[in-house]
């Protein structure tokens, strides 16, 4: 429960900040061009019966704007006078055009008002990345230092990889760190340079490997080799109670040999599948009871353990490599942050092609999936990285040419600038309804996926 609350607080803080600043972008340009803003709300104040849906609201003296917080945490809105938006206020549109309304302003001013939110979110992400690099630097383990190589799954071995191969580079450049970028680079590579038994080799690839399959397969395409050697034992855990010691090397679990920490976790994953089919408490306990075979001072010993309910043993494996940290000065951090943010955006846009596949649609996630991306403990470094990433997503998704999103309004404004003809208000209202329906449908699918994953059906 504590972990859930910590993640929830981080999620709410990040989303609240991003929505507030996004709507603030619309608000800024509206005020800049003399357009009246009727409402500025964090979250939606959806009315139910006689209840107006407000958690809090106030209207400063001599101000046209009502500020408030709604009860439905699905975003927020800035109700701009004389504009067809998610409020569907058609009555206002029937009145004569006023000089302080959105619809009375030149198309270029309306365009800036509409892209204001996206612009703020994108600039915010770049600023956060810059400040993260300035404050914490960039810490990672260079792939070039992973001299013990990788472990590969069957699909990778079918392409010519072998366990122990050291990944060096592709025709697109050297590998930097082990992560999504490495897999993305491999997926589009025509050739990859490796070290095998100390000798350089080159493997030919197709250039169109499915990135989603590479990451979602179990085990994944490639994993950094880690020995199944105990670096430390956590107190009050099955490992501590069974007498596991620092320096012990796990060589088997339940008569199944393991040659690395990855293979050990594979066996735990297999036990998890068995545990999922257990019908009674006794069946579950039987699955959790395991025999861990270790090599200790060149002597083989067997330890009987009862794993935790989530099949944890309770030890930290030995780390082979020391991470490096690149530090950035204040002014140096800005170009680095911009480059980093642009790289994140490019990767995210490139990965969107998988959304239109069956597995990609299943991978869509709603609020639960987003919340689970935040760390289990309050970590400001990871919080700000996640907030910047969400800010980029919010900017990109909002600029998509879907009616009811900022991008939909931008599309119609560009049409008006090019043709010198404004779409009719009837068309705009209908488009808003269609766009709103698409957004609701996508949200339902994404959050339904969360529920199905939680229930174990996906």
């Amino acid at each position: 429960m504590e972990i859930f609350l910590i993640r929830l607080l981080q999620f709410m803080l990040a989303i609240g900040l991003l929505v507030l600043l996004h709507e603030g972008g619309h608000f800024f340009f509206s005020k800049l061009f003399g357009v009246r803003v009727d409402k500025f709300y964090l979250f939606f104040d959806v009315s139910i019966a006689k209840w107006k849906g407000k958690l809090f609201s106030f209207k400063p003296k001599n101000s046209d704007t009502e500020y408030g917080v709604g009860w439905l945490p699905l975003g927020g809105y800035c109700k701009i006078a004389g504009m067809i938006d998610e409020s569907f206020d058609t009555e206002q549109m029937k009145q004569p055009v006023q000089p302080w309304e959105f619809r009375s302003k030149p198309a270029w001013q309306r365009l800036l008002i509409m892209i204001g939110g996206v612009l703020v979110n994108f600039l915010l992400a770049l600023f956060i990345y810059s400040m993260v690099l300035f404050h914490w630097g960039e810490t990672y383990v260079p792939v070039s230092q992973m001299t013990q190589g990788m472990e590969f799954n069957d699909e990778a071995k079918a392409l010519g990889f072998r366990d122990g191969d050291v990944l060096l580079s592709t025709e697109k450049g050297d590998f930097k760190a082990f992560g999504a970028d490495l897999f993305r680079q491999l997926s589009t590579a025509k050739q990859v340079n490796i070290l095998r038994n100390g000798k350089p080799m080159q493997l030919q690839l197709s250039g169109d490997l499915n990135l989603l399959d590479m990451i979602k397969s179990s085990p994944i395409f490639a994993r950094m080799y880690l020995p199944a050697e105990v670096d430390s034992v956590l107190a009050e855990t099955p490992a501590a109670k069974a007498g596991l010691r620092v320096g012990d090397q796990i060589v088997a679990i339940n008569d199944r040999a393991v040659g690395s920490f990855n293979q050990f976790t594979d066996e735990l994953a297999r036990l998890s599948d068995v545990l999922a089919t257990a019908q009674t408490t006794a069946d579950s306990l039987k699955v959790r009871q395991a025999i861990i075979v270790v090599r200790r001072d060149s002597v083989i010993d067997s330890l009987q353990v009862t794993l935790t309910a989530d099949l944890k043993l309770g030890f930290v494996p030995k780390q082979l490599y020391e991470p490096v940290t690149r530090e950035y000065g204040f002014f140096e951090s800005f170009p680095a942050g911009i480059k980093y943010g642009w790289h994140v955006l490019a990767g995210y846009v490139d990965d969107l092609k998988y959304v239109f596949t069956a597995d990609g649609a299943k991978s869509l996630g709603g609020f639960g999936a987003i919340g689970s991306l935040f760390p289990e403990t309050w970590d400001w470094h990871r919080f700000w990285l996640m907030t910047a990433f969400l800010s980029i997503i919010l900017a990109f998704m909002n600029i998509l040419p879907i009616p009811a999103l900022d991008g939909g309004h931008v599309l119609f404004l560009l049409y008006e600038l090019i043709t010198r003809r404004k779409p009719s208000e009837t068309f705009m209202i209908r488009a808003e309804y269609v766009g709103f329906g698409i957004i609701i449908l996508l949200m339902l699918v994404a959050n339904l996926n969360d529920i199905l994953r939680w229930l174990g059906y996906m």
Side-chain angles (χ1 to χ4, degrees), residues 148-149 151 223-229 259-263 317-321:
Q148 296 297 311
E151 291 181 280
R223 296 177 290 182
M224 179 178 63
Y225 171 79
L226 284 177
E229 184 176 335
S260 68
F261 180 70
N262 290 325
Q263 293 178 20
K318 182 180 179 180
Q319 302 297 312
L320 295 177
Y321 315 108

Side-chain angles (χ1 to χ4, degrees), residues 16 52 55 88 206 243 270 391 396 407 435:
K52 297 299 183 180
L55 296 180
F88 297 107
S206 64
R270 189 185 63 81
S391 193
F396 179 78

Side-chain angles (χ1 to χ4, degrees), residues 244-393:
L244 199 67
R245 302 176 190 171
V246 174
D248 285 352
Q249 186 167 359
I250 298 175
V251 296
I253 174 172
N254 293 342
D255 295 325
R256 296 177 70 93
V258 296
S260 68
F261 180 70
N262 290 325
Q263 293 178 20
F264 175 73
T265 58
D266 288 343
E267 290 303 314
L268 293 183
R270 189 185 63 81
L271 289 179
S272 180
D273 293 337
V274 177
L275 186 63
T277 64
Q279 300 293 320
T280 65
T281 303
D283 291 338
S284 299
L285 183 60
K286 185 177 180 180
V287 175
R288 291 168 52 204
Q289 291 175 336
I291 297 177
I292 306 295
V293 181
V294 300
R295 182 181 291 111
R296 178 181 295 167
D297 299 326
S298 300
V299 176
I300 299 298
D301 195 7
S302 296
L303 306 175
Q304 291 187 335
V305 300
T306 300
L307 302 172
T308 63
D310 56 351
L311 298 179
K312 293 291 191 299
L313 182 56
F315 76 98
V316 177
K318 182 180 179 180
Q319 302 297 312
L320 295 177
Y321 315 108
E322 288 293 329
V324 300
T325 299
R326 179 180 177 182
E327 297 182 349
Y328 294 86
F330 181 75
F331 294 106
E332 186 185 13
S333 68
F334 286 98
I338 291 171
K339 182 180 178 181
Y340 188 97
W342 188 258
H343 178 73
V344 170
L345 176 62
Y348 176 74
V349 173
D350 184 62
D351 295 345
L352 278 179
K353 61 178 177 284
Y354 296 106
V355 172
F356 302 101
T357 65
D359 287 338
K362 291 179 182 178
S363 69
L364 286 174
F367 298 117
I370 296 172
S372 66
L373 296 176
F374 286 94
E376 297 178 355
T377 57
W378 200 285
D379 183 332
W380 283 111
H381 182 213
R382 292 178 61 187
F383 168 81
W384 285 117
L385 284 175
M386 190 63 209
T387 301
F389 179 62
L390 291 178
S391 193
I392 279 184
I393 292 177

